[in-house]
Amino acid sequence: NADVPFSEIIKTKLTTTNSISEDNITYISGTADDIDFNYVWYSGKLWRITAIYPDGTMKMITDDEVTSISYGSDANFYTDSENSSYMYQWLNEDFLDTLYNYENIIVTDSKWNSLTTTSESTKITEGASGVTTITSPVGLLNSYEYYMSYKNTSSESGYLNIGYYWWLLNPYNTSSDWAVDIRGRGNFHSRTSLTGGRPSINLKSGIQLSGGSGTKADPYTILGDKEEVTIGTTLLNTRSSG
């Protein structure tokens, strides 16, 4: 139903075994086998919804890593215009430009929380003491958001484990940042090493669907995304990536 907000459709799929509610945030949490209802096709990329917020906005992460770069020499995701991580620059300069009609689809002033912690289960909430909050259109999951994605199962069985290394948002200590390893475990990783990146965005609360059922074989499609079929066209400038 095109008149029903996207977030309300996702809520109908949630149970106590595939989601966790905490501080009015609903995290999708569970195994890869149990969670086949949160796939979204947007801008030629496959995404997974990871959380629903009280205002109806929803966080998504790409289903696969889309780059392999070092996090950067700066300890934080973003400090100021002169000091920001390579990851921040790539996500909000290069990657952002690949998102179709993003001004009307994603929250461009999203808040990303980058608390330095050595424990994956340390809660990271907006406004908490010691939290570094960054405002930008594109970010990454932080260590706690990743922890919540598998809290109902195990890190190895969790639906976000793809069998590759990929960066999380926040620092582990002064020389390392959080990353997910090939077994799905969150751990510290040298920020100058090459590790995968899975961009994260927040969908606006009023987003509506144009099709799909949310499975990997039939992902949701968003009203306002590029709707023209590009397969089989002859000119490169008429095609979309993905």
Side-chain angles (χ1 to χ4, degrees):
N1 189 337
D3 296 326
V4 179
F6 190 6
S7 59
E8 295 301 316
I9 294 173
I10 293 296
K11 287 179 181 178
T12 66
K13 308 289 184 72
L14 303 180
T15 67
T16 55
T17 60
N18 65 26
S19 65
I20 300 173
S21 292
E22 181 181 87
D23 298 331
N24 294 318
I25 300 171
T26 300
Y27 298 93
I28 295 176
S29 180
T31 68
D33 291 337
D34 290 338
I35 299 176
D36 189 25
F37 59 85
N38 64 341
Y39 287 93
V40 180
W41 184 258
Y42 167 54
S43 285
K45 304 165 187 68
L46 191 61
W47 304 76
R48 307 295 296 272
I49 296 168
T50 63
I52 305 171
Y53 296 93
D55 61 0
T57 59
M58 295 193 295
K59 181 163 287 185
M60 301 200 304
I61 182 176
T62 55
D63 186 50
D64 207 348
E65 58 184 27
V66 296
T67 185
S68 181
I69 61 174
S70 64
Y71 191 93
S73 57
D74 193 85
N76 295 307
F77 183 61
Y78 177 85
T79 303
D80 53 51
S81 58
E82 300 298 324
N83 298 283
S84 59
S85 64
Y86 299 151
M87 184 61 74
Y88 172 88
Q89 295 175 50
W90 184 83
L91 290 172
N92 290 285
E93 294 172 11
D94 300 304
F95 182 78
L96 180 62
D97 287 340
T98 72
L99 300 182
Y100 184 76
N101 192 24
Y102 70 84
E103 298 92 343
N104 296 313
I105 293 176
I106 73 172
V107 181
T108 56
D109 59 349
S110 290
K111 301 294 188 290
W112 308 92
N113 300 321
S114 183
L115 177 71
T116 300
T117 177
T118 57
S119 174
E120 199 172 28
S121 60
T122 298
K123 185 184 291 187
I124 303 177
T125 54
E126 285 186 24
S129 176
V131 172
T132 301
T133 302
I134 301 103
T135 302
S136 63
V138 189
L140 303 171
L141 295 190
N142 61 44
S143 55
Y144 187 69
E145 290 171 320
Y146 178 66
Y147 166 73
M148 292 301 285
S149 77
Y150 72 80
K151 189 177 179 181
N152 272 346
T153 176
S154 67
S155 58
E156 187 171 6
S157 301
Y159 74 98
L160 290 183
N161 177 21
I162 56 174
Y164 296 99
Y165 278 96
W166 49 282
W167 288 113
L168 296 172
L169 182 75
N170 50 318
Y172 182 93
N173 54 31
T174 57
S175 60
S176 304
D177 281 85
W178 280 94
V180 178
D181 68 18
I182 59 175
R183 293 189 176 95
R185 299 172 301 188
N187 214 327
F188 65 92
H189 206 56
S190 171
R191 63 175 55 99
T192 57
S193 61
L194 298 180
T195 297
R198 297 175 69 180
S200 180
I201 56 176
N202 288 296
L203 291 176
K204 288 187 173 183
S205 59
I207 290 301
Q208 295 179 330
L209 299 176
S210 60
S213 61
T215 65
K216 187 170 186 177
D218 183 35
Y220 292 117
T221 54
I222 296 172
L223 198 65
D225 191 9
K226 188 176 181 67
E227 298 179 4
E228 295 82 1
V229 176
T230 58
I231 296 173
T233 56
T234 57
L235 300 177
L236 289 178
N237 65 3
T238 66
R239 297 183 180 183
S240 295
S241 63

